[in-house]
Amino acid sequence: SGQEFTREQFIFGHAVAVLVFDTRRQLYVFTQQFRYGPEQEVLEIAAGMIDPGEAPETTVRREIHEELGYEVDTLTHIATVFSTPGASTESIAIFYAEVSHQTGPGGGMAGENEYIKTVTMDWDALITEPFHDAKTMVAVQWKQLEKCR
């Protein structure tokens, strides 16, 4: 029989992340901000924590508006994944959104200590950019596969 042992589990909420495509400008829209884990600026898709009782689709629309300043035209669920299944309860619902009108400045919420830069890139840059963030890689690879279909 097995031995008894103890493991630590990081109890964390659930999140959303979204690859955003501006259909008017034909550009993908990313965030860049300092991240404390790797202690550097990270280029990634917009993301945020789901508030208690909130649907992931509601959260993703809010995050796109807060971080990038856009309203969503269409929204597609890509996948829901565990960020670190060996240690954390967190899951991330990953989406693809098409937008066409910027209605606000974006940049994040100063009250949440968010200081976000917006970075845009075309398709050629998207497929050659060496992303280092897992949720971003999942979304970008999904888009690459979709484009091949």
Side-chain angles (χ1 to χ4, degrees), residues 107-124:
M109 304 291 288
E112 295 178 8
N113 292 314
E114 292 180 323
Y115 304 98
I116 298 169
K117 298 174 199 162
T118 300
V119 176
T120 58
M121 61 182 71
D122 63 13
W123 175 256
D124 290 337

Side-chain angles (χ1 to χ4, degrees), residues 80-115:
T80 299
V81 300
F82 293 108
S83 56
T84 313
S88 173
T89 62
E90 179 186 44
S91 68
I92 304 174
I94 303 173
F95 292 86
Y96 170 75
E98 290 186 348
V99 299
S100 58
H101 298 345
Q102 197 164 8
T103 59
M109 304 291 288
E112 295 178 8
N113 292 314
E114 292 180 323
Y115 304 98

Side-chain angles (χ1 to χ4, degrees), residues 2-111:
Q3 295 179 340
E4 189 173 312
F5 60 92
T6 302
R7 290 205 174 156
E8 291 185 13
Q9 182 185 45
F10 185 54
I11 307 296
F12 205 70
H14 301 286
V16 297
V18 57
L19 175 61
V20 175
F21 182 64
D22 182 330
T23 58
R24 186 178 52 78
R25 297 187 306 155
Q26 295 292 294
L27 294 172
Y28 296 88
V29 188
F30 292 85
T31 66
Q32 186 169 351
Q33 61 184 312
F34 183 82
R35 292 300 203 171
Y36 292 95
E39 298 182 341
Q40 65 184 31
E41 293 233 336
V42 177
L43 179 65
E44 61 190 311
I45 58 178
M49 299 304 297
I50 300 171
D51 288 340
E54 187 175 51
E57 293 80 6
T58 302
T59 305
V60 81
R61 288 174 187 277
R62 182 185 74 240
E63 292 297 332
I64 289 170
H65 182 72
E66 289 177 2
E67 295 185 4
L68 304 174
Y70 286 91
E71 298 300 322
V72 174
D73 295 334
T74 63
L75 190 61
T76 303
H77 180 255
I78 296 172
T80 299
V81 300
F82 293 108
S83 56
T84 313
S88 173
T89 62
E90 179 186 44
S91 68
I92 304 174
I94 303 173
F95 292 86
Y96 170 75
E98 290 186 348
V99 299
S100 58
H101 298 345
Q102 197 164 8
T103 59
M109 304 291 288

